[in-house]
Amino acid sequence: MTETRPAPPPPLPPGSTIGIVGGGQLGRMTAMAAARLGYRCHIFAPEAAPPAGDVAAAVTRADYEDTAALDAFAGQVQAVTCEFENVPATALQRLAGHVPVRPGPEVFAVAQDRLAEKRFLNKAGLATAPYHAVASASDVAAALAALGGQGLLKTTRLGYDGKGQVRLGGPVSADDAWASLNAPTGIVEGWVDFSREVSVIVARGGDGAMASYEPVENVHRDGILRTSTVPARISQATADQATDVARRVARAFDLVGLVAVEMFVARDGTVLVNEIAPRPHNSGHWTIDACACSQFEQCVRAVAGLPLGVTARHSDAVMSNLIGEDATRWADLAAEPGVCLHLYGKDKALPGRKMGHVTRLAPRTAAGTLS
């Protein structure tokens, strides 16, 4: 039997306003991409001076659970997207009662809970690290024993950039690890002996059409992404597998918008999903300078109902985050030949804070350089 899909609504005409929930650098770069296509953006964020507000047509400064502010915001926009996944699902559900939210609230409800995320992925037939739900120190000890004595204890919610996780299997006891988590529930993930980390960003339109960027190789330090390199040092077979996994994630969610899928590449070349983010992603910043259509423009296209853009890159690229005091070198970086400098307009260079990024371009080489 042939599946039929309802026709998607017509594209938003230029001059329409797209609401962005969250005011950080991802919202900032999305708003800049939207402006190129003739759209205005309205930022909803609780911060007094959100970086995205510098480049948006309007800003609502309110708590994410302020229902009156949410209703007023919804009345001033024609579609809504998010620049980070930890917006309360109740807020997105309320917005969805007034205006299309892309991706939908149900996607964010899964992505903001590590246990729900793992279960969703496994139900979709996608491999992850082995894991156990835990609610006590004794649960942690039992999970660690079942997983071979090595693993990571993580909060189920609100962890990012290395926060909310503890390495298990070393000098830290299960009791101390559980106490340090300071959360009612957690998840213990088995340790994965991986050769490298990669990610794939895929967009999906309301008509089901998809467009994906090729896999990038990521290097983290202290839980924070430091560099993303394209092409990744993986075989073409592994690249194809990673791309297929990301597309299956988008399809399983019936997603409209953008999703980034972070993956481990095991020693034998197989791929395990680590995390998903239904929004533009740090590992996709290179697309601004190395592709005709960046991940941010792609997000806008999907949310607005435009045809998806071409994802092919015209250059090799290495994106490096500027963390904390790294950004004080802005003048030297701006003078370096071939460097594309992006600063996020943040006022204080705090340790661990992403202040900007640079992308270094080189002539394009083929993907899949590892046999």
Side-chain angles (χ1 to χ4, degrees):
M1 182 176 179
T2 302
E3 181 183 358
T4 58
R5 295 179 59 87
L12 297 181
S16 300
T17 301
I18 297 173
I20 301 176
V21 182
Q25 65 266 20
L26 299 178
R28 179 188 180 98
M29 289 182 275
T30 301
M32 292 166 70
R36 287 183 58 213
L37 295 174
Y39 296 112
R40 299 180 177 91
C41 284
H42 186 153
I43 306 300
F44 189 107
E47 296 85 7
D54 294 342
V55 297
V59 179
T60 293
R61 295 184 176 93
D63 187 84
Y64 292 128
E65 297 182 348
D66 184 333
T67 56
L70 289 167
D71 291 347
F73 172 71
Q76 299 174 67
V77 302
Q78 283 71 62
V80 170
T81 192
C82 296
E83 67 113 37
F84 79 119
E85 62 267 29
N86 286 318
V87 178
T90 52
L92 297 179
Q93 289 163 356
R94 189 172 188 94
L95 289 172
H98 301 284
V99 67
V101 176
R102 298 166 177 159
E106 65 283 354
V107 179
F108 288 94
V110 171
Q112 59 192 223
D113 184 301
R114 284 191 173 101
L115 189 57
E117 181 181 76
K118 290 283 193 295
R119 288 169 173 165
F120 176 87
L121 292 167
N122 292 164
K123 185 177 179 180
L126 300 171
T128 63
Y131 62 91
H132 291 266
V134 295
S136 66
S138 60
D139 286 348
V140 173
L144 189 60
L147 293 169
Q150 289 193 80
L152 285 170
L153 170 63
K154 300 180 179 181
T155 57
T156 55
R157 305 179 71 85
L158 299 178
Y160 65 96
D161 285 349
K163 300 176 178 67
Q165 59 182 263
V166 183
R167 175 78 183 270
L168 300 172
V172 180
S173 69
D175 286 338
D176 289 343
W178 178 250
S180 70
L181 204 65
N182 192 30
T185 60
I187 181 172
V188 175
E189 297 177 4
W191 189 254
V192 176
D193 181 26
F194 60 88
S195 62
R196 51 187 45 86
E197 296 175 88
V198 300
S199 58
V200 173
I201 294 169
V202 60
R204 188 169 184 268
D207 59 356
M210 287 192 284
S212 54
Y213 295 92
E214 71 177 82
V216 298
E217 182 173 346
N218 300 318
V219 174
H220 292 80
R221 188 165 70 248
D222 299 325
I224 301 175
L225 180 67
R226 297 294 169 158
T227 63
S228 293
T229 302
V230 57
R233 295 173 298 165
I234 55 177
S235 68
Q236 189 59 55
T238 299
D240 291 344
Q241 182 186 170
T243 300
D244 178 65
V245 165
R247 286 173 167 254
R248 289 171 63 187
V249 169
R251 197 176 295 114
F253 274 125
D254 197 20
L255 177 133
V256 177
L258 202 73
V259 65
V261 184
E262 296 182 79
M263 293 167 263
F264 297 123
V265 179
R267 299 290 175 185
D268 63 0
T270 58
V271 167
L272 302 174
V273 180
N274 180 28
E275 293 182 346
I276 59 173
R279 53 165 173 79
H281 194 259
N282 196 167
S283 68
H285 290 353
W286 64 274
T287 62
I288 300 172
D289 302 301
C291 299
C293 179
S294 75
Q295 66 160 344
F296 299 101
E297 179 179 329
Q298 200 74 281
C299 178
V300 172
R301 284 172 172 264
V303 169
L306 296 176
L308 300 180
V310 175
T311 57
R313 60 183 169 85
H314 53 69
S315 302
D316 289 1
V318 179
M319 187 285 303
S320 301
N321 276 323
L322 300 176
I323 309 295
E325 293 296 325
D326 291 346
T328 61
R329 300 187 295 110
W330 61 268
D332 291 336
L333 291 166
E336 184 180 332
V339 164
C340 306
L341 174 63
H342 301 262
L343 298 175
Y344 302 152
K346 297 180 180 180
D347 53 354
K348 294 182 180 179
L350 302 175
R353 192 181 194 194
K354 295 171 182 170
M355 302 298 295
H357 73 270
V358 294
T359 302
R360 293 175 171 87
L361 302 179
R364 188 183 187 280
T365 58
T369 57
L370 190 69
S371 60

